[in-house]
Amino acid sequence: MNRRIGTVVSVGPFQLLASCPNGDQIFTAAAGGMELESAKETPLEGSSLPGEWSPSALEQNFSKILHRLTGQEARQSNSRDVALKDLRALIEATECNRLFEGSGEPHHGIPEILGQVAKALGKYAAPYKEEEGGSDGHSEVAEKAAEVGLLFLKLLGKVETAKNSLDCPAWETGLRHLAGPIYIFAITHCLEKPWTSPKSQEVAGEVLSLLLRVTGCSSEAGFLRGENEDEKGKFIVIMGLLKPDLNKETWKNNPAAKHVFSWILQQVTRPWLYQHLERILPPSLLISDDYQTENKILGVRCIHHIVLNVPAADLLQFNRAQVIYHAIFNHLYMPEHNLIQAVLLCLLDLFPILEKTMHWKGDGARTTTHCDEVLRLILTHMEPEHRLLLRRTYARNLPAFVKRLGILTVRHLKRLERVIISYLEVYDGPEEEARLKILETLKLLMQYTWPRISCRLVVLLKAILKLICDVARDPTLTPEPVKNTLLQEATDCLILLDHCSQGQVKGLLAKILLSCEDRTVVSCIRKVQQVPEGTPYHGT
């Protein structure tokens, strides 16, 4: 059948054919190769500009673009490039009040199609699988991200215009479908990662700022959890979008997914986080259970955030706290100082939760706690350890364990004594972090277990005096403030040791003064002797 075509209208890259004499409308949009036809639509009044297309015609155009981004054609770079150009032209040519209209059943409506297009664009700009690509692949991803970011800025600009207009109440529906995918894209590319560039980070940052402005949120935390108690926020929506990329089989296909998950998790705190526990705990445990140290650390930090921001009752329910403990305890066997630091910090905050169910009745020895178990393992690793970074990490956290156990530290006194003496003997570099933390540990130990200290007087006194002599004669480039701090801490230990031994230290030091010629050592000894008998110790 021959059909006569009437008017030809050109708008940018679009060529629109419309206005048939028989009253039917035939739309043929040619934009870089795109041809769409929609017959027997409601006649337009003398014009067929994109801004005046029917919702069904617009929806069909967006569906075609979506197919090019997600179908088999998406494997061809030329097809994707054309689809992006078509999308950019279509967004620019369509009025905001037409962009968010729905078309009713059986169609999905333009807002939902736009949401699917936004998801497809996010996947198009996503970084490659971890073992694929390389530096060249990263630069390609950054270029794609910058291009997609500009498209999102145009889309959000349309939303903002519709929001400020009284003629388009449907903008909220459109924003509801767009907000999640656009936020994930922005977080993926605004942080400094191997797949980002300064340009892509800048564009992604602009997208994030505009998204927060359009949604009326003052911060990312407000966007995710809701600005007030009555507002739910977008956390559940975004977790739903991330879920397919956070299971055991797929989480390494998109290396950005774990970072986006970690980022959004850190934004939500008490009292909002507990309601999402079932969604956030499994991915955190999955990431921490990886063989790569980087992923282990990321997962442990996610778990630590959960421990800090979820009520103890929820963590104890279904034995979740025990699951967390056993999952991260095994990481202590890895000789990676950054990982051990993250694990120990997490465990120290987990101990109070685990011990809530333990009650001492006073009729027998107290049961061994999880803190005892961890300290025992730490001391086992500390004794033979020779790597400075690991020694510093262990020493840095030792005072917190002594504080946590209090008088129960007496269970570990022999091993602590060996560790303290051996660590005080070894120079630790210009900052002397390990020896300073060991001196802090020794002071705490003497305060909590003072009845057991007098029998160790000679051993501890020799170790402290040897440290003072080493520091006084130190030929290295250790800064003077560090040396002074070491000497002051060692002097405080001598004063406290004298208290624990009922003044025996002063008597022993008096003999040393008769033969010692080093001014620094003599100065430290005189400070100890000048403390009056019975003066209470006010140190840490």
Side-chain angles (χ1 to χ4, degrees), residues 222-369:
F223 173 82
L224 292 167
R225 72 185 184 219
E227 287 288 333
N228 51 62
E229 295 181 0
D230 299 329
E231 191 178 347
K232 290 184 178 180
K234 301 293 189 296
F235 189 85
I236 295 176
V237 172
I238 292 171
M239 281 302 301
L241 294 172
L242 288 175
K243 187 176 181 180
D245 292 327
L246 289 176
N247 61 57
K248 189 175 182 180
E249 287 74 27
T250 63
W251 75 278
K252 286 201 171 183
N253 292 340
N254 181 0
K258 61 190 178 186
H259 295 290
V260 175
F261 167 72
S262 173
W263 179 266
I264 67 171
L265 178 62
Q266 301 291 332
Q267 307 305 310
V268 182
T269 56
R270 286 178 183 263
W272 297 276
L273 193 62
Y274 79 94
Q275 57 189 315
H276 308 297
L277 185 56
E278 294 294 336
R279 297 182 183 90
I280 59 179
L281 185 56
S284 301
L285 291 170
L286 175 66
I287 297 171
S288 74
D289 194 37
D290 190 49
Y291 70 93
Q292 292 181 313
T293 303
E294 174 194 353
N295 292 332
K296 288 178 184 290
I297 295 172
L298 186 67
V300 170
R301 287 174 178 167
C302 291
I303 293 171
H304 192 188
H305 183 78
I306 294 171
V307 170
L308 290 173
N309 291 280
V310 173
D314 292 289
L315 291 175
L316 291 172
Q317 192 177 24
F318 306 122
N319 226 20
R320 293 187 184 107
Q322 288 285 354
V323 171
I324 291 173
Y325 172 75
H326 289 293
I328 64 177
F329 175 81
N330 291 330
H331 294 328
L332 292 175
Y333 291 96
M334 296 286 295
E336 298 287 344
H337 67 98
N338 287 329
L339 175 61
I340 290 175
Q341 177 66 28
V343 170
L344 292 179
L345 290 176
C346 183
L347 286 172
L348 285 166
D349 288 315
L350 184 63
F351 291 148
I353 298 171
L354 291 168
E355 293 166 14
K356 276 185 177 294
T357 58
M358 302 173 65
H359 301 287
W360 182 51
K361 298 179 180 179
D363 55 353
R366 297 193 187 190
T367 56
T368 302
T369 65

